[in-house]
């Protein structure tokens, strides 16, 4: 089911706040920049927020523009996938944006309302890099931020949280580059620790290699908990799948379990998973309404099911 018919929205991060579902997407637009592997054609410059109290029967309410590039002091270009977390009645939006030197950093913007508007902090999060922040609140109230993305997302330019001279991916038989995770400080504005790598193991207990393009992490991290297990889900990028791996704590390691969504129409695939009124939903996007334009994507939602042993039933993306 498509969620927003009159505009292009992608990368939905969805949370339950005050009994309503709030959807925080990227706002795709046509800026005329040609498609390339650096993702320059994803030239988004603002965010909208949407909400609903009945995802199956009520259209989303559009709360309008809540943050834009021109509101952010350190901005260069490209507002990609964002996420929002709540603590003590305040709402914190985490977003990736290229700075004035064309390096992706993660920023934070604050609001008293889940529907915004959000006021940007003057500087990016210290020590942050790459894209696709997703914030998970564990049952004990601790917040963890997951982030990272290859190619245009610049993750290949870093090792051990330091920029390397010539960004490159590891060799096919070397361990894959991992998504990163760090607990957030109490004030929600900084990493409380050095970001750690999220290791994904195969069934044999060995970390996935960089050459395993069908299963290795590429971008679009998401974390949720189901029946006490931690589910780390992500996109495989150039093989266009949404996959998941499970573990016993927010840091992992996680063991690869399977495919949530097979490729959709469009290059990117991105998602969030949330429980609402006793059902579990996958929010994602595809490029069907734009006729396959990879940079003009539309939001979708579908219910997902778990087997008794916690396996997520695969959904066909139609791509
Ligand atoms: O929307 C721009 C980028 O495309 C996102 O950050 C990635 O996850 C991919 O969906």
């Amino acid at each position: 089911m498509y969620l927003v018919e009159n505009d292009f929205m992608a990368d939905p991060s969805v949370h339950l706040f005050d009994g309503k579902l709030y959807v925080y997407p990227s706002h795709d637009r046509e800026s005329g920049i040609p498609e390339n592997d650096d993702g320059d054609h994803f030239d988004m410059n603002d965010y909208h927020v949407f909400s609903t109290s009945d995802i199956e029967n009520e259209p989303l309410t559009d709360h309008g523009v809540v943050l834009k590039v021109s509101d952010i002091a350190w901005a260069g270009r490209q507002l990609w996938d964002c996420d929002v977390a709540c603590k003590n009645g305040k709402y914190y939006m985490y977003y990736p944006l290229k700075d004035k030197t064309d390096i992706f950093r993660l920023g934070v913007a604050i609001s008293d309302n889940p529907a915004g508007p959000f006021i940007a902090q003057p500087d990016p999060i210290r020590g942050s890099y790459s894209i696709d922040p997703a914030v998970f609140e564990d049952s004990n109230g601790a917040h963890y931020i997951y982030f990272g993305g290859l190619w245009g997302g610049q993750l290949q330019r870093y090792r051990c949280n330091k920029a390397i001279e010539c960004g490159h991916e590891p060799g096919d038989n070397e361990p894959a580059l991992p998504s990163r995770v760090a607990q957030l400080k109490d004030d929600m504005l900084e990493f409380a620790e050095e970001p750690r790598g999220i290791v994904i193991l195969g069934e044999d207990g060995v970390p996935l290699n960089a050459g395993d393009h069908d299963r290795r992490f590429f971008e679009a991290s998401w974390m949720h908990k189901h029946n006490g297990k931690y589910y780390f889900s992500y996109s495989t990028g150039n093989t266009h799948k949404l996959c998941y791996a499970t573990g016993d704590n927010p840091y992992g390691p996680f063991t690869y379990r399977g495919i949530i969504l097979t490729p959709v129409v469009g290059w990117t695939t991105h998602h969030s998973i949330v429980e609402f009124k006793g059902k579990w939903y996958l929010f994602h996007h595809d490029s069907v309404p734009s006729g396959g334009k990879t940079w003009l994507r539309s939001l979708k939602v579908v219910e997902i099911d778990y087997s008794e042993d916690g396996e997520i039933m695969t959904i066909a993306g139609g791509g």
Side-chain angles (χ1 to χ4, degrees):
M1 178 172 85
Y2 286 101
L3 291 172
V4 178
E5 306 275 350
N6 59 350
D7 207 345
F8 295 109
M9 301 279 163
D11 306 330
S13 296
V14 181
H15 291 279
L16 181 62
F17 294 135
D18 297 335
K20 280 187 178 184
L21 281 185
Y22 283 86
V23 182
Y24 301 96
S26 305
H27 183 193
D28 285 356
R29 67 178 183 133
E30 180 61 83
S31 68
I33 296 179
E35 221 172 337
N36 62 30
D37 281 351
D38 284 336
D40 287 335
H41 49 300
F42 296 108
D43 188 30
M44 298 85 99
N45 64 2
D46 64 24
Y47 293 121
H48 285 232
V49 174
F50 298 84
S51 68
T52 180
S53 39
D54 182 352
I55 190 62
E56 295 189 1
N57 300 299
E58 179 190 290
L60 296 187
T61 300
D62 182 353
H63 297 280
V65 174
V66 297
L67 181 69
K68 46 190 192 308
V69 166
S70 54
D71 295 334
I72 302 167
W74 55 274
R77 60 184 181 134
Q78 293 182 290
L79 278 175
W80 286 10
D81 155 66
C82 69
D83 195 11
V84 171
C86 175
K87 183 168 180 182
N88 297 336
K90 289 224 177 290
Y91 295 84
Y92 299 85
M93 174 179 271
Y94 299 86
Y95 58 89
L97 176 69
K98 282 181 181 160
D99 66 14
K100 296 183 194 307
T101 65
D102 239 20
I103 304 293
F104 269 117
R105 307 277 176 211
L106 305 180
V108 192
I110 305 173
S111 179
D112 292 327
N113 189 320
F118 290 85
I119 306 298
Q121 291 292 104
D123 297 300
I125 297 177
R126 197 172 312 143
S128 68
Y129 55 92
S130 198
I131 59 166
D132 287 358
V135 178
F136 166 71
E137 180 179 358
D138 208 348
S139 325
N140 62 2
H143 287 87
Y144 299 87
I145 184 165
Y146 296 81
F147 64 95
L150 292 174
W151 298 12
Q154 303 180 343
L155 189 62
Q156 68 281 1
R157 299 186 184 182
Y158 297 85
R159 297 289 189 279
C160 303
N161 301 318
K162 300 269 178 298
I164 56 175
E165 205 146 293
C166 295
H168 61 279
E169 291 180 68
D172 280 357
N173 296 321
E174 293 175 336
L177 287 178
S179 168
R180 309 293 203 262
V181 59
Q183 192 172 343
L184 288 166
K185 279 191 178 168
D186 271 353
D187 65 7
M188 302 289 276
L189 301 178
E190 287 193 76
F191 297 153
E193 58 189 344
E194 281 277 301
R196 313 180 195 188
I198 292 286
V199 175
I200 302 175
L201 308 171
E203 277 170 1
D204 52 5
V206 175
L208 299 184
N209 277 342
D212 189 348
H213 291 209
D214 279 321
R215 299 190 298 171
R216 62 96 172 85
F217 169 79
F218 186 97
E219 63 185 2
S221 302
W222 188 256
M223 173 61 66
H224 76 281
K225 216 168 163 183
H226 178 263
N227 283 346
K229 274 242 169 273
Y230 293 80
Y231 285 68
F232 175 70
S233 46
Y234 57 97
S235 163
T236 60
N238 56 323
T239 52
H240 318 291
K241 299 180 180 98
L242 287 178
C243 293
Y244 73 106
T246 56
D248 297 326
N249 68 75
Y251 295 109
F254 296 89
T255 302
Y256 179 84
R257 295 287 295 272
I259 299 170
I260 302 171
L261 182 72
T262 62
V264 296
V265 171
W267 200 96
T268 66
T269 187
H270 192 121
H271 72 301
S272 54
I273 295 173
V274 65
E275 186 181 20
F276 188 53
K277 298 186 178 172
K279 295 181 178 179
W280 286 88
Y281 295 95
L282 175 75
F283 289 82
H284 66 105
H285 66 229
D286 70 25
S287 296
V288 171
S290 71
K293 290 193 175 115
T294 58
W295 62 99
L296 295 179
R297 301 161 292 178
S298 294
L299 291 185
K300 295 184 88 173
V301 64
V302 61
E303 193 181 341
I304 55 169
D305 290 316
Y306 296 78
S307 72
E308 295 237 312
D309 71 350
E311 185 189 344
I312 299 178
M313 301 292 110
T314 304
I315 288 169

